[in-house]
Amino acid sequence: MPNTALLRRASALAVMIAMPGLALAQAPQKAPTPAANTPAANTPAAAPAAAPSADSVVASVNGKPITQGDLAIAADDPALSLPGVDEAQKKNLLVDYMVDLRVGAQAAESAKIGDTPEFKRKLAYFRDKLLLDDYLEQEAKRAVTPEAEHAIYDQTVKLMKPEEEVHARHILVDNEAEAKKIAARIKGGEDFAKVAAEASKDPGSKTEGGDLGWFTKERMVPDFANAAFAMKPGQVSDPIKTQFGWHVIKVEEKRTKPQPTFDELKEQIDQHLIRKAQQDMILKLRSEAKIERTDAPPAAQPESEPKKP
């Protein structure tokens, strides 16, 4: 019998079949340029049309309307995501999907699918889930305010300890003898970036002249980090051995790591506020509700000690 899951799969297949044609349909068409002093050239641009209301009817199935609001709900369904499809084509696909959905749902009603106990349990479950999802979303909107965001940000940066950072370059080779020759070349006046591009075995930094960017001490292996953080800006190291090979290091700059800006942390702060608000709300609701578990096993009874003769 038809059901929503089958209709979704069928509609998804219809979208996939339609996609090759969509690629051609989406090819930009160059509009002809109106000649000067023609009516088209002198007519002012029309004002953008007002957005249709949620109650606007876009189709009907056996007399039952499908509205713009119905399409908006369908468009929010992750299963119906249509990236790369323009709005007009997306609307047509969604209308087709809603028509298939209504046709199938009406057939299912005629077949009394909605009267079965299993369907009623599913309907109750998804109704509860939708109610909770919307309730949690409202709580999230209330939780994320500029005052709450900045309070968390101020508290976070206050707890951050100052960290030293180094901006350095390195050249990685296989053995100490080769590293000594490279160190001598650099200290003799050759350009570090040029020698790194020529000789370094590190594919990640070789094309950047050995540049490792800014890093804190814990981001590097101990032998490398200890050497780099002990050096002064402009200094070139003697060969340093790590598990990766032999390094020649040049420190470019040193600084105290700047604190992250509010904008850099905003997304993390918002997620923290949302999770905390929703968790607190659920815990509060649980504490106020009368909850009885009937599936829990009976508590184990303590074993009595055997009687002594």
Side-chain angles (χ1 to χ4, degrees):
M1 300 301 294
N3 57 49
T4 303
L6 285 175
L7 286 172
R8 281 190 177 183
R9 288 196 288 272
S11 296
L13 179 60
V15 170
M16 291 174 65
I17 292 171
M19 286 307 291
L22 292 179
L24 293 175
Q26 292 180 78
Q29 302 294 322
K30 185 176 180 181
T33 304
N37 299 321
T38 63
N42 297 322
T43 302
S53 71
D55 294 328
S56 300
V57 176
V58 297
S60 66
V61 176
N62 296 325
K64 292 190 175 181
I66 297 171
T67 66
Q68 189 68 36
D70 296 328
L71 294 188
I73 293 172
D76 286 339
D77 186 343
L80 301 178
S81 175
L82 297 170
V85 178
D86 68 39
E87 290 304 314
Q89 292 165 326
K90 185 183 294 186
K91 180 178 179 180
N92 286 334
L93 289 168
L94 288 174
V95 171
D96 285 343
Y97 167 77
M98 288 300 301
V99 167
D100 292 345
L101 185 64
R102 290 291 172 83
V103 167
Q106 289 175 12
E109 282 195 27
S110 297
K112 305 297 183 182
I113 298 297
D115 295 340
T116 64
E118 181 184 4
F119 181 85
K120 290 178 179 178
R121 282 192 291 269
K122 288 180 181 179
L123 187 62
Y125 168 79
F126 283 108
R127 183 178 186 276
D128 286 349
K129 186 175 185 300
L130 285 171
L131 284 169
L132 176 59
D133 287 347
D134 281 6
Y135 195 41
L136 289 173
E137 187 175 343
Q138 290 181 17
E139 190 67 20
K141 290 177 181 177
R142 284 194 292 267
V144 180
T145 65
E147 294 78 15
E149 288 175 321
H150 284 281
I152 293 291
Y153 173 76
D154 293 342
Q155 182 182 3
T156 300
V157 296
K158 190 181 296 183
L159 296 174
M160 288 182 175
K161 295 181 180 179
E163 286 186 280
E164 188 179 13
E165 280 190 316
V166 164
H167 174 202
R169 299 176 184 268
H170 84 134
I171 298 171
L172 175 67
V173 293
D174 295 329
N175 56 73
E176 185 179 12
E178 192 176 357
K180 285 182 176 180
K181 290 178 184 178
I182 286 173
R185 289 172 62 184
I186 303 297
K187 292 177 181 180
E190 289 194 49
D191 181 68
F192 194 100
K194 183 178 178 181
V195 177
E198 171 195 325
S200 182
K201 306 293 185 182
D202 178 12
S205 65
K206 178 176 182 173
T207 57
E208 302 297 327
D211 196 349
L212 296 170
W214 290 98
F215 55 88
T216 53
K217 198 167 187 177
E218 71 274 3
R219 282 187 55 200
M220 299 296 177
V221 294
D223 290 334
F224 187 100
N226 291 335
F229 278 81
M231 295 165 60
K232 296 178 180 178
Q235 187 176 354
V236 176
S237 74
D238 292 329
I240 305 295
K241 188 178 187 304
T242 71
Q243 67 258 43
F244 301 107
W246 290 84
H247 308 258
V248 176
I249 306 169
K250 180 183 179 184
V251 170
E252 299 283 2
E253 304 170 85
K254 298 177 84 171
R255 70 179 182 186
T256 299
K257 183 179 179 180
Q259 289 182 331
T261 65
F262 174 79
D263 287 340
E264 289 171 339
L265 294 183
K266 185 179 186 304
E267 184 176 349
Q268 297 177 54
I269 290 171
D270 289 351
Q271 289 303 314
H272 168 78
L273 288 169
I274 290 169
R275 284 195 301 269
K276 185 177 186 307
Q278 292 177 341
Q279 183 181 41
D280 289 348
M281 184 193 73
I282 293 295
L283 291 175
K284 181 175 183 292
L285 293 174
R286 270 179 165 267
S287 69
E288 295 172 349
K290 182 180 179 181
I291 300 171
E292 298 178 4
R293 289 286 299 265
T294 58
D295 64 334
Q301 298 294 325
E303 294 184 5
S304 57
E305 295 185 4
K307 294 182 179 180
K308 295 180 180 179

